[in-house]
Amino acid sequence: IWTITAMVFKRGKIEAQEDSNILDDEDFLSSLFNNRRYSNILLTPLEGVNPATIKRLKEIYQEAFDESCPVNEARDVALAFKKKTADMKTEVGTLLANKDNYPFLIVLETLDELLGRLSEKEYRYFLEHINDFEDKLLDAKEDILSPVKKFWYGGQKHIFDQTRVFITGNQSNLEYVQGDELQILQEVYEHPKPYSGTIIRDAKAAMDTLKQKVLELIKQEKEKACSVIERQIASLKSREELGKLSDSEQLTLLHPFNVE
């Protein structure tokens, strides 16, 4: 009897509840080996699910999670869908943990909340209420999660980090640079979607231009400093007092001016 019951359960033909809680595979198996629980277990035949509904949920599964659903029975598909929402929530949570350094990641909070609610639903919800979550989940995945992941795991994040390091490491030089490149870089950090459009590409071009300007300014300032030093050396050498010093004393006096 228990073998047949387990087979029927596994094929999604019956549902097991204990004190109004729907049992999953592991809980149901445990209940079969514990006769103390028999009086609390309720087995309910499941009505057949429209094949079109199963097909639709599997299509949403593939579109939302970028992989095909490995099972076919209604109950198994719904359980697999529920598990994937929990997995996606973990992934989104990992990204959200970086929002202090990447403020734009806060856009993931809405999706995180949606996935949290879905991952707590009973599996039947995914078969009976597809219209309630389909558009919200797929739109958030396409409009938010996919672009953020492309940014995070691609070259855009590297450029984003480079610009931040460049700005923080050149504060004393950048205030003297003319042009709008610095403003472009600063706006990247304030933009709610720096991964969209050409924002990162424009930031890379602005950073390259700004680097060249900084190097040019440093070169000019160095040339000015060298010119001042040369005049000071010439002034010292022209003084009568210098001629009264020995060669070693003159070298010692002029040495600081010759150190680069």
Side-chain angles (χ1 to χ4, degrees):
I1 293 175
W2 297 140
T3 299
I4 294 174
T5 302
M7 290 174 61
V8 174
F9 175 86
K10 191 60 180 176
R11 292 177 181 177
K13 305 303 180 182
I14 61 173
E15 182 177 78
Q17 291 180 286
E18 183 176 19
D19 299 328
S20 299
N21 297 316
I22 296 177
L23 304 182
D24 58 19
D25 289 1
E26 186 175 343
D27 287 334
F28 184 60
L29 178 62
S30 175
S31 70
L32 292 179
F33 290 102
N34 188 346
N35 56 16
R36 296 178 184 177
R37 299 173 62 182
Y38 290 172
S39 60
N40 296 324
I41 303 295
L42 176 64
L43 300 180
T44 306
L46 292 178
E47 297 181 4
V49 178
N50 189 328
T53 298
I54 301 174
K55 180 181 178 182
R56 184 179 174 191
L57 186 58
K58 292 185 69 172
E59 290 172 348
I60 299 172
Y61 182 106
Q62 182 162 6
E63 189 172 348
F65 309 123
D66 296 321
E67 62 181 68
S68 58
C69 184
V71 291
N72 296 302
E73 293 291 340
R75 176 175 172 273
D76 294 338
V77 173
L79 286 172
F81 198 99
K82 176 180 179 178
K83 183 180 184 304
K84 291 301 291 187
T85 61
D87 293 343
M88 182 180 281
K89 187 182 188 309
T90 299
E91 181 181 25
V92 170
T94 299
L95 290 170
L96 269 174
N98 297 278
K99 66 181 179 181
D100 288 343
N101 292 324
Y102 303 87
F104 64 88
L105 290 177
I106 197 172
V107 72
L108 292 170
E109 288 186 344
T110 300
L111 175 58
D112 184 62
E113 293 173 0
L114 172 62
L115 292 169
R117 293 195 298 271
L118 291 178
S119 63
E120 294 175 355
K121 297 290 185 181
E122 295 182 349
Y123 78 88
R124 287 181 297 187
Y125 173 86
F126 299 100
L127 295 168
E128 299 171 356
H129 301 279
I130 289 179
N131 290 334
D132 293 346
F133 66 84
E134 178 181 10
D135 290 342
K136 293 178 182 178
L137 178 61
L138 295 184
D139 289 347
K141 187 260 184 177
E142 180 179 356
D143 299 337
I144 300 175
L145 183 58
S146 290
V148 168
K149 287 175 63 176
K150 182 178 179 181
F151 169 93
W152 195 259
Y153 299 111
Q156 287 184 319
K157 180 177 180 293
H158 180 64
I159 296 173
F160 188 95
D161 291 338
Q162 279 185 321
T163 58
R164 178 171 54 189
V165 171
F166 175 73
I167 291 176
T168 56
N170 289 275
Q171 286 290 342
S172 59
N173 295 320
L174 294 178
E175 58 184 276
Y176 300 103
V177 178
Q178 301 295 321
D180 59 357
E181 290 84 9
L182 180 58
Q183 182 179 352
I184 292 175
L185 295 183
Q186 291 173 332
E187 289 176 350
V188 171
Y189 297 100
E190 300 172 1
H191 201 286
K193 295 182 178 181
Y195 46 81
S196 61
T198 62
I199 294 176
I200 293 296
R201 185 178 67 189
D202 294 343
K204 176 65 165 59
M207 181 175 63
D208 291 342
T209 300
L210 203 53
K211 281 182 178 180
Q212 191 59 41
K213 287 184 175 182
V214 169
L215 291 175
E216 185 62 30
L217 278 176
I218 292 175
K219 180 181 178 183
Q220 293 175 5
E221 291 301 315
K222 185 176 181 179
E223 290 175 348
K224 290 179 183 178
C226 288
S227 178
V228 171
I229 292 173
E230 289 174 357
R231 289 199 300 271
Q232 291 297 326
I233 291 175
S235 176
L236 283 173
K237 289 182 177 180
S238 67
R239 292 177 178 274
E240 181 179 350
E241 292 86 348
L242 188 68
K244 297 179 181 180
L245 300 176
S246 65
D247 291 343
S248 61
E249 289 174 330
Q250 291 183 27
L251 289 174
T252 300
L253 181 64
L254 296 174
H255 178 70
F257 295 96
N258 294 319
V259 177
E260 296 186 358

